[in-house]
Amino acid sequence: MTLKVYPNLLLLFLFNSVWTRTVRQVYDELDPEHWSHYTFECPKECFCPPSFPNALYCDNKGLKEIPAIPARIWYLYLQNNFIETISEKPFVNASHLRWINLNKNKITNDGIESGVLSKLKRLLYLFLEDNELEEVPAPLPGGLEQLRLARNKISRIPEGVFSNLENLTMLDLHHNSLLDSALQSDTFQGLNNLMQLNIAKNSLKKMPLSIPANTLQLFLDNNSIEVIPENYFSTIPKVTFLRLNYNKLSDDGIPPNGFNVSSILDLQLSHNQLTKIPPINAHLEHLHLDHNRIKSVNGTQICPVSIAIAEDYGFYGNIPRLRYLRLDGNEIKPPIPLDIMICFQLLQAVVI
């Protein structure tokens, strides 16, 4: 692999971020009606840091059950245990909970007592990754902002489970067992403020239906998707980061202007079956096409504007914004065609 970096230009790597409310730390909001009203008992199995009186650390303790949670607790850490059930009893006094981390336990759907989660009215963040769930738990707290269910065995999404989650900004379902049949036209109904949807590493063959309109980040890597429907992205006009790596996309499976979408800034199509670069929009900044079947690159053909116009605009004009282009793992040989550089004058790096 040869890396070409153009002089005086810095290679920018997109970080994977999600626009969601910053976790509120104890020193920012110590308020609730005066912590002096609460006793500072600490379950013997857990650690209660004196400097963070509303945090309870019960992680990596070999627990099989959730201990009684004191009323003062906002942040509850229970990851890396052997917990199988979530019952109402430990949470009787825990009316202030904002954050629960139950990753890496042995929780099943049958082990979640009916209605226990929805009674946690102030809960904002619920982490249940690396458990043994076979469907999305329901009902859920209406105020949730993040729901992380990665690396379970989820193959079913109950009807209406997300309908009251208007505040949810992040839904992570990656590395589960979802088939196309699990994602109906109303599955994501109610997620009006969703920004990141991660359904990577499932068993999808089609693009999911009815993605929430405000979605900014859509991750569909490691599925078996073959076709992008015509005008698919017109219903998610704000999508900015799109990942479709490790699928089965071919040239015939992409409409003529399937990815010519002005909102998309980062497009990842690595490890597919493409033989040519699909048409892109002038606003695109990062394009990943490594490990496809592309044999050659023609800058005149892939330039979102005519080469003549791009050359006339110069550095200060409204030229295509592509800054990073990855083409390694194809059948392309250097050098990079001059017309690529003429068109994409803001290119900072090309991997070929």
Side-chain angles (χ1 to χ4, degrees), residues 245-348:
N245 304 318
Y246 291 95
N247 276 282
K248 296 182 179 180
L249 289 171
S250 64
D251 302 328
D252 293 338
I254 301 175
N257 284 294
F259 296 121
N260 188 0
V261 180
S262 61
S263 65
I264 299 177
L265 302 182
D266 185 274
L267 176 59
Q268 300 191 20
L269 297 169
S270 304
H271 294 271
N272 278 279
Q273 300 169 13
L274 302 175
T275 64
K276 58 184 179 181
I277 298 177
I280 59 174
N281 194 272
H283 291 89
L284 187 67
E285 296 183 3
H286 290 240
L287 178 59
H288 298 245
L289 285 165
D290 55 286
H291 297 91
N292 276 274
R293 301 174 182 176
I294 301 169
K295 295 182 178 181
S296 62
V297 182
N298 186 316
T300 302
Q301 291 179 354
I302 69 170
C303 191
V305 301
S306 75
I307 289 289
I309 292 175
E311 193 169 14
D312 289 343
Y313 273 144
F315 189 80
Y316 299 101
N318 187 25
I319 58 175
R321 301 178 187 175
L322 194 67
R323 289 169 166 78
Y324 178 81
L325 176 60
R326 184 170 177 182
L327 292 166
D328 55 303
N330 285 283
E331 300 177 37
I332 304 167
K333 296 181 180 180
I336 299 166
L338 179 61
D339 52 4
I340 291 286
M341 306 313 302
I342 293 174
C343 175
F344 302 109
Q345 298 179 31
L346 299 181
L347 264 177
Q348 296 166 350

Side-chain angles (χ1 to χ4, degrees), residues 191-192 194 210-216 235-239:
L191 299 179
N192 300 327
L194 194 70
S210 301
I211 300 298
N214 285 318
T215 303
L216 297 175
T235 59
I236 41 176
K238 298 181 181 180
V239 64

Side-chain angles (χ1 to χ4, degrees), residues 180-191:
D180 295 318
S181 57
L183 305 180
Q184 301 298 314
S185 59
D186 59 352
T187 295
F188 301 112
Q189 186 174 338
L191 299 179

